[in-house]
Each structure stands twice: as structure tokens, then as C-alpha cells.
Amino acid sequence: MSRIERVHAREVLDSRGKPTVEVEVTCTGARPGRAIVPSGASTGKFEAVELRDGDDARLDGTGVLQAVANVRGEIASAIIGMDANDQQSIDHRLCELDGTDNKSRLGANATLGVSLATAYAAAESKGVQLVEHLGEIWQECRESNPNLADPLAGRGHGALGNGPLLPLPMVNMISGGRHAGDNIEFQDFLVLPVGAKSYRQALDWIVTIYRRLGELLCERGYEGVLVGDEGGFGPKLRSNEEAVELVIAAIEAAGLEPGTDAMIGLDVASTEFYADGTYQLAENGGQRLSSDGMIDLLADWVDRYPIISIEDGLAEDDWDGWKRLTERLGDRVQLIGDDLFVTNSVRLQRGIDTGTANSVLVKLNQIGTLWETLETIRLAIENGYLPVVSARSGETEDATIADLVVATGAGQIKVGSIVRSERLAKYNQLLRLEEHLNGANYIGRDVFRPLKADG
Ligand code: 2PG
Ligand code: MG
């Protein structure tokens, strides 16, 4: 037993200079475990609630002192004396204590901070690395479904969820939307190094592509170009489509073959420009597209460019459109629900039941505890949906998601670009884990085996 002896919290700052919650949990006789909670900008309306002080006198109401007080007071009293190894009971206790279905009373930033710091504290207490401890919890989560002897066997993907795996990174190259001052509407233009032989080689390729992209932008006159919140270039391009063309040109300039070595991913984040039932784009002199208009646009791009992944191609409430999008592209493109599913197993189950999307973005703070996040990953894998573990646009030096994606064998990670230290904290931790788990496979293009385009 790793008995929780102390629970402490403080307000710290994230990569946008916005306050966030840091928690320390200490077990008897061990060093403290510490975690920091991230924060989104293009948030889905069904996400768990991030508690902000809303007190205009200080930091424009963005302070998190109330969430910090909740950790130090109510939550600490409830979990001191519990076993930090029993993540399921701890997280269950946090949900029970909060009492709402979206963590709005105590704050998902309070509950997640405690949940993750507990996992670190348990690892400290046992004298193992976080990745090992998370591997054990993942195993428990897999086995906690009493209806299935081996919950993941024979269903879904096969390669995912079975022990440590180095993920395919999905790396931001050009940023738009809320992350880059609304220069263009689509939020992320990403590269997926599917043909690399190892995670390290994948990262080498990404760095080279990023450099070539910087040079191309200068050549095209986008000089003095700044980077967005996640480190991707944020130029004021003529159109969303120009971003796709530029990323492909950068892959070629890096001496790689688009479609074979590296493929393209998009996070359309379309909820952000969905209003009055239409998708509002400046493209081609200003367009108001219906759901079917958006589907046609995306399908046309998929025909012309090596696009393997599209996130939030339609908005969080557009379930009918999402279903048609899935029917049209779901057998050849990974269709990720981010705002649509918000890491919530109830919403994901609705997607599974209705044949909507084929992949889920996994963000710990969208749901607010580690155990619930693991359950969402499990539900996805059991049903052949591809989980993509993701950072937020507001991040910190906390690199928990790197350990999480490896330990669960989820297969893919999305962290932003390869500049700015809050991003590198995760990419560099994956390098350490690659070395530490000498022999763990890099999944590469295999992750897309269920899709025809890659077969
Ligand atoms: C997203 C995320 C991360 P945010 O939309 O997928 O890129 O952005 O954290 O702002 O929701
Ligand atoms: Mg998204």
C-alpha cells in the first residue's frame, strides 16, 4: 500500500502565461509526485469544466485559486489515507465528491491535477518510472470489464493497447484559427511520418520538414512569420488550401516522398467557424458551406492530397453531417472526434452506436481524471476506433501524456510543433522512453492498417 499522506496545490503559469493548477501528492516515506494541468483555447462545449476565479480584480478573472483551495481543502481531506496505487478508487472518489457530471463544482483542473499527481506519487512510492506504473493501471483498466475475459482480444485493431508502443506523432507545421490569430480558419496542418523506422527517425524527419517549411515561407514572401500557440508557423496565407500545398512542398524539399514517407493531417476545428448552421470560410471570396459542402471540400482534398487524418471536420453538434462524412471517407481516412467526443465515454459510445467517426482525440482535462481517460481509450480500442492522445494549446513542462501514450499502446500522439519547450517536454520524454524501453516498437504506418488507403 502506498498511503497518501499529503496533498498540496499551487497556482503556476502555462505556455500562454495563463494560471493553471499544479498538484503535489506525497505517499508515506516517498518523494512527492507532481503534475500540472493543461488548458485549451478551441474548447468543446461538452468538456469538463475548468474552474477559473472569475474575479476581475486579478489576472482578468483567469486565476485558479478556487480550484487550488478545493485541492488543499475538500479533496485533500477526502483522499489522505487512501492507497495511491488504487487509481480507480481515487478517481471514483473525486467524481463522487464533485457530484456533477462535468466536474463543475470542484473543477476538472482540480480533479485532474490530483489524479495525475497521485499516479506520480504511486510510482515514486514503488520506485518505478511513471510509464511502468501507468502500464500496470492500464492493465487493471483492461481487466476491469467483467464481461470480457480479455477485453481487447480479437476485436478492433489488434496491435493497439497491448503493452508499450512508441506512437506515431502527428506534428503541427502550420497553425491557424484560434491558435494563430485567425490568420486562416483551419487550425492545424500536420505531418505524420508514417514511413519512419523508429520514433527517433520520425523526429529527425519532422525537424527537417519544419526547417524546409520555414525556408519556403520566406521564399514565398511570408517573411518575419511568427509561430502560433503550439509552435507551428502562423503566416497570413491566401487560403487554407495553400497551407496544404506548402506542407507537401516542405516534405519534398526535405527529400521525402509525400504519401509514402510522410502524410498530411488536418485539425479543421470547424466548431470555431460554424454559425447559424453553416461553415463560414473566407476561401474563394467568402463561402457559407452546408455540412455537405464541407464534406465535398474535404473529400476533394483527400482525392488530391495525401491526407490520412481529419479531426473535427464538422462541428460538435453536427451529428448527422458527421455520419455522412464517415460514410464518405471513413474507410480511407482517420476521422477524429475532438470537440465531438471530448474524451467522454458516453459521447464516444453514441459515436460507436451510430457509426460516427472512427477515431477519438484523448485529452485528460476534457474529462478530468486519469481512470476515466483510460476507460475512453479502452472503449475506443475495443470498438476499432483509433485513440490519439493529445496535448492542449496551453501546456507546461508536464510530460505525462508521453508516458500515457506509450504505456497504453494507444498508437498516436499530437503535441503541437517541434519548437517551444512545453511541446519538447513531451517529444523529449518520448526519446527517453524509446531508450528506456529498448525494443518497444514504433508503430508508424501500421496504426492505419484498418484503413484501405494505407493497405
Ligand atoms: C485541439 C487542441 C490541441 P485546444 O483542438 O485539438 O491542438 O487545441 O487545446 O486549443 O483545444
Ligand atoms: Mg482539435
Side-chain angles (χ1 to χ4, degrees):
M1 152 125 179
S2 301
R3 184 183 177 279
I4 296 177
E5 193 172 85
R6 179 172 180 264
V7 178
H8 184 62
R10 65 177 66 85
E11 186 184 81
V12 296
L13 295 176
D14 73 11
S15 56
R16 281 191 280 243
K18 224 171 147 187
T20 189
V21 178
E22 172 171 278
V23 177
E24 283 171 10
V25 171
T26 314
C27 294
T28 308
R31 285 155 41 116
R34 187 174 70 202
I36 316 179
V37 178
S39 171
S42 61
T43 47
K45 73 174 175 223
F46 301 103
E47 293 192 18
V49 173
E50 182 184 74
L51 205 61
R52 300 253 171 218
D53 295 340
D55 162 16
D56 288 346
R58 185 175 169 273
L59 299 173
D60 308 316
T62 61
V64 292
L65 295 178
Q66 185 53 51
V68 164
N70 292 345
V71 175
R72 290 183 181 183
E74 226 181 301
I75 295 179
S77 310
I79 69 164
I80 284 175
M82 287 181 78
D83 182 1
N85 290 310
D86 189 355
Q87 191 75 44
Q88 183 177 14
S89 298
I90 299 277
D91 289 346
H92 186 74
R93 186 82 189 92
L94 292 172
C95 293
E96 201 178 56
L97 197 64
D98 174 77
T100 70
D101 57 5
N102 60 0
K103 315 277 190 303
S104 54
R105 197 177 76 77
L106 294 172
N109 39 357
T111 59
L112 182 64
V114 172
S115 181
L116 295 181
T118 298
Y120 276 98
E124 284 290 347
S125 166
K126 291 193 292 188
V128 301
Q129 293 206 11
L130 182 69
V131 71
E132 265 106 25
H133 176 62
L134 290 178
E136 284 172 30
I137 304 180
W138 169 241
Q139 199 55 38
E140 272 170 41
C141 179
R142 284 184 47 163
E143 288 162 8
S144 69
N145 185 339
N147 302 321
L148 298 164
D150 183 356
L152 303 185
R155 304 171 74 187
H157 192 288
L160 302 182
N162 296 311
L165 205 55
L166 268 308
L168 173 71
M170 180 184 288
V171 185
N172 179 268
M173 290 285 145
I174 293 180
S175 292
R178 292 285 292 275
H179 295 173
D182 290 318
N183 50 343
I184 44 178
E185 293 92 354
F186 288 17
Q187 181 176 283
D188 281 354
F189 298 83
L190 308 117
V191 168
L192 285 68
V194 293
K197 296 283 171 285
S198 65
Y199 169 71
R200 182 172 286 273
Q201 185 181 42
L203 210 51
D204 282 0
W205 287 5
I206 290 294
V207 170
T208 312
I209 295 166
Y210 186 85
R211 289 183 188 172
R212 294 296 93 85
L213 177 60
E215 291 157 11
L216 277 170
L217 286 168
C218 284
E219 277 166 29
R220 293 208 188 176
Y222 296 112
E223 257 156 272
V225 75
L226 298 172
V227 298
D229 284 357
E230 300 191 354
F233 293 109
K236 182 113 192 78
L237 300 176
R238 280 181 288 278
S239 67
N240 293 296
E241 193 165 351
E242 189 184 9
V244 180
E245 288 164 359
L246 274 161
V247 174
I248 291 171
I251 294 171
E252 286 166 345
L256 298 166
E257 203 181 315
T260 307
D261 296 322
M263 299 190 80
I264 304 288
L266 307 171
D267 181 0
V268 180
S270 62
T271 304
E272 298 296 324
F273 54 87
Y274 183 65
D276 308 327
T278 59
Y279 295 89
Q280 311 197 346
L281 295 170
E283 206 110 349
N284 304 329
Q287 289 177 309
R288 282 169 175 264
L289 297 177
S290 64
S291 305
D292 289 323
M294 267 303 279
I295 295 170
D296 287 342
L297 182 153
L298 295 171
D300 173 50
W301 283 18
V302 168
D303 286 340
R304 289 188 293 118
Y305 302 114
I307 293 174
I308 188 69
S309 179
I310 301 176
E311 177 180 332
D312 283 354
L314 294 173
E316 62 198 355
D317 285 321
D318 192 358
W319 284 91
D320 293 341
W322 260 102
K323 193 161 160 29
R324 292 197 298 281
L325 173 68
T326 311
E327 282 159 7
R328 182 94 168 261
L329 294 177
D331 62 346
R332 47 187 183 137
V333 178
Q334 167 169 266
L335 299 171
I336 314 174
D338 171 12
D339 291 351
L340 182 72
F341 294 141
V342 292
T343 317
N344 184 315
S345 57
V346 175
R347 288 185 69 86
L348 177 58
Q349 187 65 56
R350 176 172 173 191
I352 292 165
D353 293 342
T354 55
T356 306
N358 57 22
S359 170
V360 55
L361 205 72
V362 176
K363 292 165 164 170
L364 288 151
N365 79 324
Q366 280 184 330
I367 190 71
T369 65
L370 174 57
W371 188 265
E372 289 169 286
T373 304
L374 294 176
E375 287 185 325
T376 297
I377 296 176
R378 187 188 68 187
L379 182 65
I381 296 177
E382 276 175 7
N383 289 281
Y385 275 53
L386 300 173
V388 180
V389 174
S390 173
R392 300 305 310 238
S393 49
E395 272 292 335
T396 69
E397 65 270 30
D398 186 296
T400 313
I401 57 169
D403 295 76
L404 178 72
V405 73
V406 171
T408 55
Q412 294 178 78
I413 191 165
K414 183 179 111 169
V415 173
S417 202
I418 42 76
V419 297
R420 300 182 39 138
S421 291
E422 78 280 4
R423 313 286 144 196
L424 273 309
K426 285 73 163 172
Y427 289 121
N428 289 343
Q429 176 66 0
L430 287 170
L431 285 172
R432 289 180 209 109
L433 292 174
E434 183 176 44
E435 195 179 292
H436 175 68
L437 298 168
N438 184 22
N441 284 333
Y442 168 68
I443 191 158
R445 71 171 339 113
D446 231 27
V447 78
F448 296 127
R449 221 173 38 209
L451 303 175
K452 273 195 216 139
D454 210 56

